[in-house]
């Protein structure tokens, strides 16, 4: 089961729409990690047959969406959050400890605008980067695949 993971679209919906359209027939879910949730709502309306999971970020001033949630895909638990509440721009200690306390299989987070994937205690930590404004030289997103063995990430460039 494949999941499209995007974050930090910041109003650049044409690029996000192009990417969702590219994968819509091959994914079971699109996860938007905040900044801006209005972009995610736009995409959700544009692709009504596709399931979306949405969390708000530090630039989202609505309480209509949670700041984090745990979703289940297949038999795997995934924590989705924007990341700003865990100071991910300076350390991963807080988010790693938080994830361990929930015993999740993966964590999807954004906020840094830098694409990254790493493992800690067998938990996948995945940051898809930003479709809109990259801080590491290239705009990006990710595909996560849930298998019976775990969650695997594929880092993609726009």
């Amino acid at each position: 089961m494949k999941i499209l993971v995007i974050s930090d679209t910041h109003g650049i919906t044409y690029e996000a729409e192009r990417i969702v359209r590219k994968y819509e027939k091959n994914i079971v879910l699109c996860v938007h990690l905040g900044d801006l949730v209005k972009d995610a709502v736009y995409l959700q309306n544009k692709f009504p047959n596709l399931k979306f999971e949405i969390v708000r970020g530090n630039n989202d001033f609505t309480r209509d969406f949670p700041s984090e949630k745990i979703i289940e895909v297949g038999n795997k638990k995934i924590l989705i959050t924007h990341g700003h509440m865990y100071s991910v721009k300076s350390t991963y200690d807080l988010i790693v400890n938080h994830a361990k306390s929930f015993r999740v299989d993966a964590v999807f987070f954004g906020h840094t605008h830098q694409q990254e994937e790493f493992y800690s205690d067998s938990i996948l930590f995945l940051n898809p980067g930003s479709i809109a404004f990259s801080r590491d030289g290239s705009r990006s997103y990710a595909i996560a695949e849930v298998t019976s063995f775990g969650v695997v990430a594929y880092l993609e460039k726009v």
Side-chain angles (χ1 to χ4, degrees), residues 68 79 81 83 85-88 91-109 116-126:
E68 69 178 25
L79 171 65
T81 185
M85 298 183 319
Y86 302 102
S87 303
V88 296
T91 181
Y92 291 135
D93 292 344
L94 295 172
I95 200 166
V96 166
N97 290 331
H98 187 63
K100 287 179 188 176
S101 73
F102 284 106
R103 297 180 182 191
V104 296
D105 299 288
V107 177
F108 299 164
F109 69 99
E116 186 169 12
E117 142 191 44
F118 65 92
Y119 287 85
S120 179
D121 289 336
S122 301
I123 301 170
L124 167 67
F125 289 81
L126 173 63

Side-chain angles (χ1 to χ4, degrees), residues 1-154:
M1 291 182 273
K2 292 185 179 178
I3 304 166
L4 173 61
V5 186
I6 59 177
S7 187
D8 297 283
T9 50
H10 291 282
I12 310 297
T13 54
Y14 66 88
E15 197 68 77
E17 184 179 341
R18 183 187 66 77
I19 291 165
V20 173
R21 189 169 314 286
K22 177 180 178 179
Y23 291 99
E24 71 177 310
K25 290 183 173 67
N26 300 314
I27 58 175
V28 296
L29 175 65
C30 180
V31 173
H32 192 291
L33 299 170
D35 284 358
L36 299 169
V37 294
K38 72 176 187 165
D39 299 347
V41 171
Y42 168 82
L43 293 169
Q44 194 172 33
N45 290 332
K46 204 75 164 147
F47 299 93
N49 295 324
L50 184 58
K51 183 178 180 193
F52 279 78
E53 291 287 355
I54 303 165
V55 292
R56 72 177 187 267
N58 60 300
N59 287 303
D60 293 310
F61 304 107
T62 177
R63 297 279 182 217
D64 294 340
F65 297 92
S67 57
E68 69 178 25
K69 65 170 38 173
I70 294 176
I71 61 173
E72 290 193 31
V73 179
N75 62 346
K76 303 301 177 196
K77 289 175 25 178
I78 303 168
L79 171 65
I80 62 173
T81 185
H82 186 62
H84 64 292
M85 298 183 319
Y86 302 102
S87 303
V88 296
K89 286 185 178 179
S90 59
T91 181
Y92 291 135
D93 292 344
L94 295 172
I95 200 166
V96 166
N97 290 331
H98 187 63
K100 287 179 188 176
S101 73
F102 284 106
R103 297 180 182 191
V104 296
D105 299 288
V107 177
F108 299 164
F109 69 99
H111 187 56
T112 66
H113 294 222
Q114 295 178 317
Q115 193 175 56
E116 186 169 12
E117 142 191 44
F118 65 92
Y119 287 85
S120 179
D121 289 336
S122 301
I123 301 170
L124 167 67
F125 289 81
L126 173 63
N127 185 330
S130 173
I131 287 176
F133 306 111
S134 169
R135 290 192 181 121
D136 62 2
S138 57
R139 297 175 297 137
S140 58
Y141 60 97
I143 301 294
E145 186 169 11
V146 176
T147 72
S148 58
F149 302 106
V151 184
V152 180
Y154 302 94

